[in-house]
């Protein structure tokens, strides 16, 4: 549990905000120096997501998506805008959202809202999103805040909408990273938090073809 490794909640959040303020507003900055894995990541995410967008009567819609921890809009640009009519972005770092406006180019006109906010304080508008995409950011929330945020995401879904988490998974337990003030949880802990939020797991997949030296990355779809 994060309560075992996060001693001071206020410090946990403020230290992370400070860390990201000093990160370059580039794809490489967003990916901690691993910019070269961006295409592998996006291609896998697209395959994962398209299963829900094209299957049967309970098909997930393509009207609007929300990109959580969006940074400069790497995922918005390459994954979400090609598949959805409109996208909203939320990130705690204002400089990243400012950069996104130029990085996204012409297609950025279909981004409706740029919300500058930490996810612990953010509430998606109820019944608004077909897909809420949460990638490489859950480690910046305590267990309680993550569970509460996922509950708000559940309320933010349109009919047949899904919440997707894609993130690093620890081998065991919860590991603190003092550099960027984040935690990495194991699969069991993440699944428990998902259940606690009242969400039902629809699919789970391990990312392939990432460098051996980084954490295993898993994608979860739920509603």
């Amino acid at each position: 549990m994060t309560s075992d490794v996060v001693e001071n909640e206020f410090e946990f959040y403020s230290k992370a905000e400070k860390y990201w303020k000093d990160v370059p507003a580039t794809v490489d900055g967003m990916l901690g120096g691993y910019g070269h894995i961006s295409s592998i990541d996006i291609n896998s995410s697209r395959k994962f997501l398209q299963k829900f967008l094209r299957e049967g009567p309970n098909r997930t819609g393509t009207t609007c998506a929300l990109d959580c921890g969006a940074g400069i809009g790497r995922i918005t640009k390459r994954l979400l805008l090609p598949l959805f009519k409109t996208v909203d972005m939320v990130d705690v770092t204002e400089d990243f959202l400012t950069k996104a406006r130029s990085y996204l180019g012409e297609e950025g006109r279909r981004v409706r809202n740029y919300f500058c906010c930490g996810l612990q304080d953010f509430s998606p508008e109820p019944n608004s999103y077909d897909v809420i995409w949460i990638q490489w950011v859950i480690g910046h929330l305590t267990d309680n805040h993550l569970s509460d945020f996922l509950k708000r995401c559940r309320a933010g879904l349109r009919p047949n909408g899904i919440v997707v988490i894609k993130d690093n998974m620890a081998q065991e337990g919860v590991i603190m990273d003092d550099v960027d003030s984040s935690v990495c949880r194991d699969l069991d802990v993440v699944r428990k938090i998902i259940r606690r939020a009242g969400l039902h797991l629809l699919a789970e997949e391990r990312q392939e073809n990432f460098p051996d030296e980084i954490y295993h990355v898993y994608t979860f779809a739920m509603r």
Side-chain angles (χ1 to χ4, degrees):
M1 290 176 64
T2 51
S3 54
D4 297 332
V5 293
V6 176
E7 289 172 18
N8 181 320
E9 199 175 274
F10 175 78
E11 205 174 87
F12 175 68
Y13 285 112
S14 56
K15 195 174 167 188
E17 275 193 53
K18 187 174 179 304
Y19 169 84
W20 286 105
K21 276 195 172 80
D22 294 333
V23 168
T26 61
V27 169
D28 211 40
M30 299 303 96
L31 293 176
Y34 282 88
H36 59 283
I37 69 170
S38 185
S39 288
I40 299 169
D41 167 58
I42 295 288
N43 290 339
S44 297
S45 295
R46 189 182 300 113
K47 277 186 196 150
F48 183 89
L49 188 50
Q50 278 176 331
K51 287 184 284 198
F52 296 93
L53 303 184
R54 58 171 175 233
E55 275 181 6
N58 297 325
R59 197 169 69 86
T60 298
T62 54
T63 302
C64 191
L66 173 65
D67 185 357
C68 300
I72 62 169
R74 180 185 74 90
I75 291 163
T76 290
K77 182 182 177 105
R78 298 195 51 200
L79 176 69
L80 301 177
L81 280 173
L83 295 172
F84 295 88
K85 289 189 183 75
T86 57
V87 178
D88 285 350
M89 294 169 60
V90 55
D91 197 274
V92 75
T93 307
E94 195 149 358
D95 285 352
F96 294 165
L97 294 174
T98 302
K99 172 70 176 180
R101 286 168 166 82
S102 59
Y103 171 74
L104 294 171
E106 279 294 294
E107 293 297 295
R109 286 179 305 181
R110 293 190 292 112
V111 174
R112 293 187 315 182
N113 295 295
Y114 296 86
F115 298 110
C116 188
C117 187
L119 298 183
Q120 69 276 17
D121 299 316
F122 183 73
S123 292
E125 193 180 325
N127 195 34
S128 291
Y129 300 105
D130 296 298
V131 169
I132 297 178
W133 193 273
I134 308 164
Q135 183 162 346
W136 280 322
V137 68
I138 65 168
H140 285 301
L141 297 175
T142 63
D143 291 351
N144 288 340
H145 281 156
L146 177 54
S147 175
D148 289 347
F149 176 60
L150 289 175
K151 284 176 191 166
R152 298 194 296 276
C153 286
R154 197 179 77 201
L157 292 178
R158 289 158 54 92
N160 297 321
I162 57 169
V163 177
V164 178
I165 287 175
K166 186 169 187 178
D167 221 302
N168 301 336
M169 298 294 137
Q171 287 290 92
E172 191 180 349
V174 180
I175 299 163
M176 181 78 188
D177 184 337
D178 279 323
V179 177
D180 67 355
S181 192
S182 70
V183 295
C184 186
R185 303 168 172 93
D186 71 24
L187 281 164
D188 284 343
V189 174
V190 173
R191 289 188 197 114
K192 273 181 195 147
I193 293 170
I194 288 168
R195 282 198 301 272
R196 202 169 104 197
L199 286 159
H200 171 63
L201 205 53
L202 304 171
E204 177 182 313
E205 185 176 287
R206 184 176 160 190
Q207 172 71 49
E208 295 177 346
N209 302 318
F210 268 9
D212 291 337
E213 72 270 15
I214 66 173
Y215 283 115
H216 292 170
V217 171
Y218 278 79
T219 312
F220 307 86
M222 62 209 94
R223 65 164 64 103

